[in-house]
Amino acid sequence: MRRLLFLILFPTLLAGSLTAQNVPQLKSHTMKVQAYLIINGQELGPVWSGTGYAITERHIVTNEHVARGNEYGKNFYNEIRKSDWPAVSAFQGMIFKLLVAPNKEITTKVVWSDEKKDLAILEAQQPHGRPAATLAYSPAIVTGVDLAVVGFPGLSRLSDEADYDPVVTFGRINIIQTTKDSRRRKVIQTDAAINGGNSGGPMFNVCNQVIGTNTFTIADFDDASENVINFAVHLDELLPAIRQFNIPATIATAGCVSEMELTRSEITRLHAETERRQAEVTAQSQQMAEQQTRLNAMIASLDLARRDVQSSRATADSARAESEEARRRAEEAIESAKIQNNPMLMSILGFSIFMGGFAMYLSLTKRGNIMVKEAVIQGKELVTRKSYGGAAYNGTGPAKAVLTGLSGALAGSRLEMGSEPLAIGRDPRVSHLIFPADTEDVSKRHCLVQYEASSKTFTIEDAHSTNGTYLRNGKKLNAGEKYVLQPGDRFYLSGSSISFKVGLENA
């Protein structure tokens, strides 16, 4: 089976319950539109024709493919010209005329056209003398109702009178739909036959009001049958242009209910029902979106909590090991000195044991982890009398700033600092001191450390990291805010497992 889509150059009529009493009025609104090429100052044609219908004493509606512009006319002329005709460069434009009576044509100009909608509005140079058709009340255009189509199909032109006497046929609205192609236009489908030449003609309801403009057919051909489906552009596609150009067309303010069995209250009810259902769908969509947002937040919170628990466990294990080591060293010191009754050493031992228990209590939070780490470090320094990092600056002569890694992937690293800020993170594109790429707790650009030579102090700033930067007292830094560090101060990234120390040494 082969599907053919082709444009019609004149409108048609469809079949239904409309009677012959309507025909004279339907015909009175409809005129033939003829296209002429201007070649060397002369009119050539008509080269094609279509149908139009009056909506004011000067304005006529038709199809865009009936009132096509100069570029199309030039291409058309180039294809049909004979060898003894002038060159294409002699083409000077196109004009469209209304055939309103024998030997009487009225020249028009195109006021508006839209290729996607396949609609155009013409304006006559003088009143055309035909009554203007009334445009229907759009919400009352529904499926299943009778309709009529008027136009000048080419196959019916067996005499000169056929140019002034349009054909009327009848039918029903089968379906109203919006096309899924790139045009996305609203169309009316009918089962009535449309013949070539009806394009641009009006489609009327039983109240003689325009509901659409005939435009195209779709035909299915096979070896046994030929089925044709006909379409008109819905009135809704024309109304915006009429309002845009302030065209004084007559538009009905109520539905045509005489034979459509559709009352105004029924239209209102249908509109209210549609709005109610749409509101329900919108509310359900919003509720689902809110539930999804809450679910995503819960998942993120659970993941963060899982990582905190893992970090806390690791910190607690480390703190227990550190405190056990401190206790062991304290016992060794006491034993070696043989002065178990020495109050100072007993205090050190008690402090170490207390720190172990305190570490177990505080290891449930990041700040507690850091406080535990700090306490362990201080206890270790007290017992061993050895400070983390290098030799301290003695206060005389030039000094150099040093950043020392105490724990984590960069533990043991030592970096001399200049006057420029030093970025710490795991992305070499935005950081200077680089962590391994799989160090998830450290952001791509985690924090900035800078040495202030004038005051011999340091500043630290959290660079909007995911897991935070902390001082030795467990305080979390506010992102983008600078904090002062004294030589010998420590700071932590994400938790107690990653720490650094700033200091001054003799140059």
Side-chain angles (χ1 to χ4, degrees), residues 124-317:
Q125 291 182 344
Q126 63 189 65
H128 46 64
R130 296 294 185 90
T134 297
L135 305 181
Y137 178 62
S138 176
I141 303 174
V142 296
T143 59
V145 300
D146 295 338
L147 55 83
V149 179
V150 186
F152 296 90
L155 296 177
S156 69
R157 192 181 184 281
L158 302 180
S159 65
D160 292 338
E161 289 77 10
D163 287 336
Y164 314 102
D165 187 17
V167 175
V168 181
T169 53
F170 304 91
R172 284 179 178 272
I173 296 179
N174 292 340
I175 188 173
I176 299 172
Q177 56 187 321
T178 299
T179 62
K180 61 182 179 180
D181 57 13
S182 59
R183 295 189 174 197
R184 300 295 297 172
R185 54 180 173 167
K186 192 175 183 180
V187 296
I188 299 172
Q189 176 188 326
T190 179
D191 54 359
I194 293 181
N195 296 308
N198 280 89
S199 288
M203 177 181 285
F204 292 101
N205 61 18
V206 295
C207 296
N208 303 334
Q209 299 167 345
V210 175
I211 62 174
T213 304
N214 302 301
T215 180
F216 67 92
T217 67
I218 296 178
D220 287 336
F221 297 102
D222 55 27
D223 295 337
S225 65
E226 174 180 329
N227 299 315
V228 179
I229 303 176
N230 309 296
F231 296 88
V233 182
H234 196 284
L235 177 63
D236 283 350
E237 303 288 5
L238 176 65
L239 292 176
I242 290 176
R243 298 187 180 102
Q244 177 184 353
F245 292 96
N246 295 318
I247 296 174
T250 301
I251 304 175
T253 57
C256 178
V257 299
S258 58
E259 297 182 37
M260 294 169 60
E261 298 178 357
L262 185 66
T263 64
R264 188 176 303 178
S265 60
E266 179 66 8
I267 295 173
T268 303
R269 187 192 67 78
L270 292 174
H271 273 264
E273 179 68 14
T274 300
E275 291 177 356
R276 184 186 65 80
R277 292 182 179 180
Q278 183 61 42
E280 290 178 353
V281 171
T282 301
Q284 291 175 356
S285 299
Q286 292 176 347
Q287 185 178 11
M288 292 179 63
E290 292 173 358
Q291 291 176 349
Q292 185 63 45
T293 300
R294 289 195 295 268
L295 179 61
N296 292 341
M298 290 175 60
I299 293 174
S301 178
L302 289 174
D303 183 65
L304 182 60
R306 176 186 61 80
R307 294 172 61 183
D308 282 344
V309 169
Q310 291 176 346
S311 177
S312 297
R313 288 176 178 173
T315 302
D317 292 340

Side-chain angles (χ1 to χ4, degrees), residues 442-462:
V442 178
S443 298
K444 295 181 178 180
R445 183 179 174 91
H446 199 101
C447 66
L448 298 172
V449 182
Q450 185 172 8
Y451 174 55
E452 304 291 343
S454 60
S455 60
K456 288 187 172 56
T457 60
F458 299 80
T459 61
I460 185 168
E461 175 184 348
D462 183 78

Side-chain angles (χ1 to χ4, degrees), residues 11-30:
T12 304
L13 268 199
L14 313 168
S17 64
L18 288 165
T19 66
Q21 296 177 350
N22 304 91
V23 170
Q25 182 178 355
L26 299 178
K27 288 184 175 182
S28 66
H29 307 299
T30 311

